[in-house]
């Protein structure tokens, strides 16, 4: 009898016009071995993996065995990468299918690193273990921080070596996502200049993610408005925890509003709005502070792709599109302000709030203060006393903050709770991430498991969390991260 693992596939993506995908199986791999299975996530989404042997699971999550109901395919998409347009597609990923959870939620189950596809261009279709560990660790951390994200269900090693700068162990990650529809998927459809393709993708996306939009007089505008809200929410979350995505290309922006594609992403230690880590981001295009601007730029590309669906008359469509994109700055700013208020325990809306927030951020920047720890130190019952807070500029700011807190119409306890729920204690700091990846690629998975466990409760301290709260020592600091795909 074949095991079903409770996979419950209902594959709708293949009902789109054939240009949107290629049906093909993942490549066979010689010696799949489990590195990690996310049993908790499996249970959450209604899969039963606990009774299967590791060997069987390694065959499923390598793509060697296809679960019943799976109809694998690779998706076509395009993208603006660092500002330049290319036709792309899943160059090393296979969608196994859409799994329906017991609660009726539709989730893509995708293997990444599972072999070449017609979209591979010069790539080998493979992934190395290090970057897959990075994606697993950080995506799960993001989820626990309360940030919309794709999730990681499993990592296996393939038994093959992949050639990067050196030979590295090959791996496959199983990624769970609300969908893999990207800004770049619409750019792909628009580039083929076939209005029917665009229309079918528009209807599919609305049905899958924003069904309420079906009744809108202008569906394309309705969809864009919803996506703008979702993206603004997402970027505000990133800014809240100091997350820098690193490759905000339009092919890496999911229309579901989930964080997707953890390449050279990293968290900021000391606050500097110009921080970026990615080795391929020479000009800092995707720096911390640029993220909202880039989100807007990417949304403008989405609107451009959708112009023929916005209005039959091109001039009218362009005018409407410009009006839409202009709204993003305000939408973002309001959401950002409200998030920053929650980080500082500010209730209500006072004229001085913006200045108070700006002054603190400037102070942090000028004094190399740790972003995460500063906000967390402010979320204690008493005034912080560490050396850095003795500086008079901080004392002045602190007094102003105290005055502002008096204007709250809620108790101090309520404010504290709000702050503690929005200011994490533990983020996956780069130096820890690198340490864990190094040990894991050498076969020692204990650090990886320990770190994952601590990252399960990022807003709560316990005996184990202390070392992970420490900023890096100067010799531990990570200045650059690599896609190292
Ligand atoms: P990413 O930077 O991971 O978002 O990837 C950008 C594009 O390159 C996507 O179309 C990927 O599928 C493709 N790609 C990345 N790495 C590889 C690889 N090793 N082999 C084939 N395609 C790849
Ligand atoms: Mg990508």
């Amino acid at each position: 009898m074949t095991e079903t693992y409770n996979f419950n596939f209902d594959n709708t993506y293949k009902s789109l016009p054939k240009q949107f995908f290629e049906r093909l199986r993942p490549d066979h791999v010689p010696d799949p071995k489990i590195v990690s299975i996310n049993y908790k996530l499996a249970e959450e989404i209604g899969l039963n993996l606990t009774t299967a042997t590791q060997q069987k699971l390694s065959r499923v999550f390598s793509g060697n065995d296809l679960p019943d109901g799976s109809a694998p395919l690779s998706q076509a998409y395009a993208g603006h990468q660092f500002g330049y347009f290319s036709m792309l597609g899943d160059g090393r990923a296979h969608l196994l299918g859409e799994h329906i959870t017991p609660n009726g939620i539709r989730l893509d189950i995708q293997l990444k690193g599972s072999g070449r596809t017609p979209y591979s261009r010069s790539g080998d279709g493979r992934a190395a273990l290090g970057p897959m560990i990075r994606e697993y660790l950080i995506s799960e951390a993001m989820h626990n921080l309360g940030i919309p994200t794709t999730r990681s269900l499993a990592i296996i090693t393939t038994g093959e070596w992949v050639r990067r700068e050196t030979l590295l162990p090959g791996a496959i990650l199983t990624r769970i996502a609300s969908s893999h529809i990207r800004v770049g998927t619409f750019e792909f459809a628009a580039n083929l200049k076939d209005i029917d393709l665009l229309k079918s993708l528009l209807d599919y996306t609305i049905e899958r993610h924003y069904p309420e939009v079906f009744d809108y007089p202008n569906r394309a505008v309705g969809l864009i408005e919803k996506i703008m809200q979702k993206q603004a929410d997402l970027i505000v979350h990133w800014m809240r925890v100091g997350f820098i995505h690193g490759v905000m290309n339009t092919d890496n922006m999911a229309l579901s509003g989930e964080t997707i594609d953890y390449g050279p992403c990293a968290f900021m230690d000391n606050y500097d709005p110009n921080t970026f880590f990615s080795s391929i981001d020479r000009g800092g295009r995707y720096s911390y502070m640029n993220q909202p601007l880039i989100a807007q730029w990417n949304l403008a590309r989405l609107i451009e792709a959708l112009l023929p669906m916005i209005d039959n008359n091109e001039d009218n469509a362009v005018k409407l599109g410009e009006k839409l994109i202009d709204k993003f700055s305000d939408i973002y700013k309001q959401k950002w302000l409200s998030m920053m208020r929650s980080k500082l325990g500010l209730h209500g809306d006072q004229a001085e709030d913006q200045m108070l927030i700006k002054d603190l951020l400037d102070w942090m920047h000028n004094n190399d203060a740790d972003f995460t720890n500063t906000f967390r130190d402010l979320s204690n019952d008493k005034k912080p006393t560490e050396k850095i807070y003795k500086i008079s500029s901080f004392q002045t700011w602190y007094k102003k903050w105290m005055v502002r807190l008096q204007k709250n119409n809620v108790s101090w306890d309520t404010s504290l709770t709000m702050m503690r729920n929005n200011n994490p204690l533990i983020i996956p700091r780069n130096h820890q991430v690198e340490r864990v990846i190094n040990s894991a690629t050498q076969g020692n998975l204990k650090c990886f498991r320990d770190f994952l466990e601590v990252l399960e409760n990022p807003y709560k301290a316990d005996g184990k969390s202390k070392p992970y709260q420490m900023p890096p020592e100067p010799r531990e600091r990570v200045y650059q991260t690599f896609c190292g795909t």
Side-chain angles (χ1 to χ4, degrees):
M1 197 184 84
T2 56
E3 283 178 77
T4 66
Y5 312 102
N6 287 356
F7 278 107
N8 179 21
F9 285 113
D10 172 45
N11 305 323
T12 56
Y13 206 81
K14 64 180 163 63
S15 67
L16 277 169
K18 62 181 188 329
Q19 289 88 334
F20 283 107
F21 57 87
E22 287 285 343
R23 296 197 51 178
L24 79 171
R25 286 185 67 119
D27 279 354
H28 184 88
V29 306
D31 187 20
K33 292 248 157 46
I34 300 283
V35 173
S36 191
I37 299 266
N38 193 339
Y39 287 100
K40 249 192 190 159
L41 173 60
E43 198 184 325
E44 261 174 59
I45 66 175
L47 296 180
N48 177 14
L49 305 180
T50 48
T51 51
T53 62
Q54 296 282 298
Q55 202 190 20
K56 281 198 167 153
L57 292 179
S58 73
R59 289 210 297 264
V60 170
F61 293 115
S62 61
N64 279 3
D65 285 352
L66 288 182
D68 283 351
S70 157
L73 57 84
S74 293
Q75 297 179 343
Y77 50 87
H80 276 87
Q81 302 178 301
F82 293 92
Y84 299 99
F85 181 82
S86 299
M87 292 297 261
L88 304 163
D90 290 328
R92 52 166 175 169
H94 295 77
L95 176 68
L96 290 184
E98 298 150 41
H99 165 73
I100 313 294
T101 72
N103 301 332
I105 295 169
R106 180 178 300 273
L107 296 171
D108 274 8
I109 301 193
Q110 191 205 57
L111 302 183
K112 179 170 170 178
S114 43
R116 283 182 52 81
T117 77
Y119 313 110
S120 296
R121 300 172 292 161
S122 58
D124 62 0
R126 290 298 181 194
L129 178 59
M132 296 305 103
I133 293 223
R134 184 183 196 87
E135 170 149 354
Y136 189 112
L137 196 70
I138 301 187
S139 63
E140 289 307 294
M142 292 289 268
H143 171 74
N144 294 321
L145 284 162
I147 302 177
T149 176
T150 62
R151 305 275 313 266
S152 298
L153 182 63
I155 302 179
I156 60 106
T157 45
T158 59
E160 283 176 328
W161 296 94
V162 295
R163 186 175 290 281
R164 297 296 179 256
E165 263 142 37
T166 55
L167 283 180
L168 300 168
I172 296 174
L173 176 91
T174 304
R175 174 156 77 179
I176 308 294
S178 286
S179 86
H180 286 85
I181 307 168
R182 310 145 192 265
V183 169
T185 317
F186 277 89
E187 292 181 285
F188 170 83
N191 194 259
L192 294 184
K193 310 231 181 300
D194 176 342
I195 192 90
D196 290 337
L197 286 186
L198 205 52
K199 184 167 178 347
S200 44
L201 183 63
L202 177 72
D203 286 349
Y204 182 83
T205 308
I206 291 174
E207 187 171 338
R208 187 145 174 190
H209 293 297
Y210 306 96
E212 65 279 19
V213 168
F214 263 122
D215 300 329
Y216 284 28
N218 188 328
R219 287 182 189 173
V221 169
L223 178 70
I224 292 163
E225 284 174 342
K226 294 277 173 195
I227 291 171
M228 278 173 43
Q229 293 285 343
K230 279 266 163 96
Q231 285 302 327
D233 286 333
L234 182 65
I235 307 294
V236 164
H237 270 303
W238 292 359
M239 303 306 270
R240 173 172 68 83
V241 299
F243 176 77
I244 300 161
H245 182 285
V247 249
M248 286 181 71
N249 296 333
T250 54
D251 50 306
N252 292 335
M253 188 188 255
L255 299 191
S256 62
E258 290 177 341
T259 313
I260 190 170
D261 259 1
Y262 293 87
C265 66
F267 284 74
M268 179 167 65
D269 291 303
N270 57 307
Y271 177 72
D272 178 347
N274 298 311
T275 305
F276 65 96
F277 295 99
S278 169
S279 61
I280 54 171
D281 189 358
R282 295 259 159 70
R285 177 182 168 91
Y286 298 141
S287 70
Y288 176 76
M289 155 184 98
N290 278 357
Q291 298 188 119
L293 295 171
I294 293 293
Q296 186 177 30
W297 192 90
N298 289 350
L299 289 165
R301 304 290 78 75
L302 174 69
I303 293 172
E304 258 166 32
L306 275 167
L307 282 178
M309 305 303 303
I310 292 178
D311 199 299
N312 289 332
N313 177 302
E314 203 182 322
D315 288 343
N316 290 347
V318 169
K319 267 188 215 133
L320 207 60
E322 280 171 356
K323 235 164 102 185
L324 276 170
I325 199 66
D326 285 347
K327 286 191 202 161
F328 184 79
S329 325
D330 264 355
I331 295 172
Y332 172 78
K333 191 168 173 210
Q334 287 315 315
K335 288 180 192 284
W336 179 83
L337 199 55
S338 146
M339 173 277 285
M340 289 305 292
R341 284 195 177 105
S342 69
K343 280 178 87 70
L344 286 172
L346 308 179
H347 277 259
D349 176 351
Q350 299 292 335
E352 68 266 39
D353 290 355
Q354 286 199 52
M355 200 41 103
L356 190 71
I357 293 163
K358 183 180 179 302
D359 284 352
L360 176 66
L361 292 175
D362 287 347
W363 177 84
M364 287 165 67
H365 187 195
N366 294 334
N367 292 282
D368 254 344
D370 185 81
F371 183 72
T372 303
N373 290 352
T374 303
F375 281 103
R376 200 57 203 204
D377 289 340
L378 295 174
S379 315
N380 286 327
D381 251 338
K382 30 185 198 316
K383 192 170 175 179
T385 53
E386 286 85 349
K387 195 167 150 219
I388 189 169
Y389 301 119
K390 301 215 187 309
I391 302 171
S392 70
S393 50
F394 178 79
Q395 297 287 328
T396 312
W397 179 84
Y398 192 85
K399 271 185 212 138
K400 284 193 209 155
W401 183 44
M402 287 292 123
V403 172
R404 168 60 182 86
L405 285 174
Q406 299 295 321
K407 298 183 189 169
N408 277 349
N409 52 8
V410 294
S411 68
W412 174 227
D413 271 354
T414 307
S415 276
L416 271 182
T417 305
M418 175 163 80
M419 292 174 73
R420 287 173 187 167
N421 290 338
N422 283 284
N423 296 324
L425 282 154
I426 304 139
I427 50 159
R429 291 181 185 271
N430 298 331
H431 65 295
Q432 299 284 9
V433 173
E434 301 277 322
R435 183 178 63 85
V436 163
I437 291 173
N438 283 338
S439 331
T441 47
Q442 284 159 25
N444 174 4
L445 292 169
K446 186 174 181 307
C447 303
F448 172 55
R449 296 199 183 111
D450 288 350
F451 201 14
L452 275 175
E453 193 186 325
V454 168
L455 288 166
E456 272 181 33
N457 285 303
Y459 299 97
K460 284 208 181 72
D462 67 21
K464 289 188 191 152
S465 57
K466 199 80 204 156
Y468 298 95
Q469 291 172 242
M470 309 289 279
E473 298 287 340
R475 65 179 164 79
E476 294 174 316
R477 269 180 90 149
V478 176
Y479 294 96
Q480 243 189 3
T481 51
F482 301 88
C483 280
T485 59

